[in-house]
Amino acid sequence: MKKILLTGFEPFLSNPINPTMEIVKALHEKVFSDYQVEGRILSVDFEKSPVQFLKYLEEVQPSLIISLGLAAGRTKITPERIAINIKDGEPDNAGVALVDEPIHAGEDAAYFSTLPIRAMVNLLNEAGLPATISDTAGTYLCNNIMYEGLRYASKEENVQAGFIHIPASFELAIAHRKIPGWAQRDLLASVELCIEECVKSENKSIE
């Protein structure tokens, strides 16, 4: 059976909850057609998370790499179009704040997602789950992991990779009091539909 590496993050910054963790736990070992999900949680740490991620890639040997991140404040599911070769932003969970640092010095400036992001967005909207393509994954850990996933996939045969940002859950929205939220079940359903579309696309490309 082929493998999907599905990653999420631990809580970070002012977010005491990270709904990506619950999605990854819920979908771990779930089967979609001839693919099985291997769920893993990443640290919000510029030094540790890329090492963890590469270790998981070697362990799982996935055909699909789908990474999830929390975009508290967004109102829609947003598959990301591009990852850039920059690390920058707020301090990570170890207190490290980077400014204009390359992820891999001297390497490609950016990678485009190879997931069927337009088809994913169309499917979600048809299901009544608001979605749109995002043209920036930022410069924080989400962008870092998206870049690493696409860099890995670019060197492998028949591996698709990309990143999906999700809104806050109701639980997190209540904790913040000032941001929009979704029901966790709808966040989960959205990611499941995205995986189904990716699997369908991957199978078509092999035929």
Side-chain angles (χ1 to χ4, degrees):
M1 184 166 285
K2 298 175 186 177
K3 297 297 179 69
I4 301 169
L5 177 61
L6 180 70
T7 67
F9 284 104
E10 66 185 1
F12 65 103
L13 298 177
S14 62
N15 303 298
I17 302 157
N18 194 327
T20 66
M21 291 182 65
E22 297 308 312
I23 293 171
V24 168
K25 290 175 183 176
L27 296 182
H28 178 58
E29 297 187 339
K30 181 166 181 175
V31 173
F32 293 82
S33 183
D34 54 342
Y35 290 74
Q36 180 175 304
V37 173
E38 291 292 330
R40 301 288 189 275
I41 305 300
L42 297 167
S43 301
V44 177
D45 185 304
F46 280 111
E47 182 178 354
K48 291 181 180 178
S49 59
V51 176
Q52 294 169 341
F53 188 53
L54 292 173
K55 177 186 173 185
Y56 298 150
L57 288 167
E58 292 304 316
E59 286 177 356
V60 175
Q61 295 290 304
S63 296
L64 281 169
I65 304 164
I66 303 174
S67 298
L68 305 177
L70 168 66
R74 289 190 188 178
T75 59
K76 298 180 179 182
I77 303 294
T78 49
E80 297 293 344
R81 194 189 300 273
I82 191 169
I84 61 173
N85 191 3
I86 287 290
K87 295 185 284 188
D88 195 298
E90 297 292 323
D92 64 15
N93 283 355
V96 174
L98 300 176
V99 178
D100 299 338
E101 292 263 345
I103 296 171
H104 290 284
E107 296 198 20
D108 290 341
Y111 287 105
F112 283 93
S113 175
T114 57
L115 301 182
I117 57 175
R118 180 61 63 190
M120 289 157 60
V121 163
N122 290 343
L123 181 64
L124 289 168
N125 284 320
E126 288 166 7
L129 297 162
T132 190
I133 292 172
S134 167
D135 290 324
T136 175
T139 55
Y140 198 53
L141 269 298
C142 292
N143 173 74
N144 198 158
I145 292 302
M146 182 180 178
Y147 186 94
E148 292 283 10
L150 287 164
R151 177 176 180 263
Y152 172 90
S154 73
K155 300 175 182 179
E156 300 292 323
E157 190 173 354
N158 298 321
V159 177
Q160 292 186 22
F163 197 97
I164 304 168
H165 266 120
I166 66 170
S169 61
F170 284 149
E171 187 178 5
L172 180 56
I174 290 168
H176 269 286
R177 299 186 181 182
K178 293 183 179 180
I179 62 171
W182 279 39
Q184 185 71 32
R185 65 177 180 275
D186 290 335
L187 294 173
L188 175 61
S190 297
V191 173
E192 289 179 302
L193 285 176
C194 287
I195 293 174
E196 289 171 7
E197 188 61 42
C198 290
V199 167
K200 183 172 75 172
S201 173
E202 175 75 3
N203 285 335
K204 280 184 179 178
S205 70
I206 294 171
E207 290 173 0

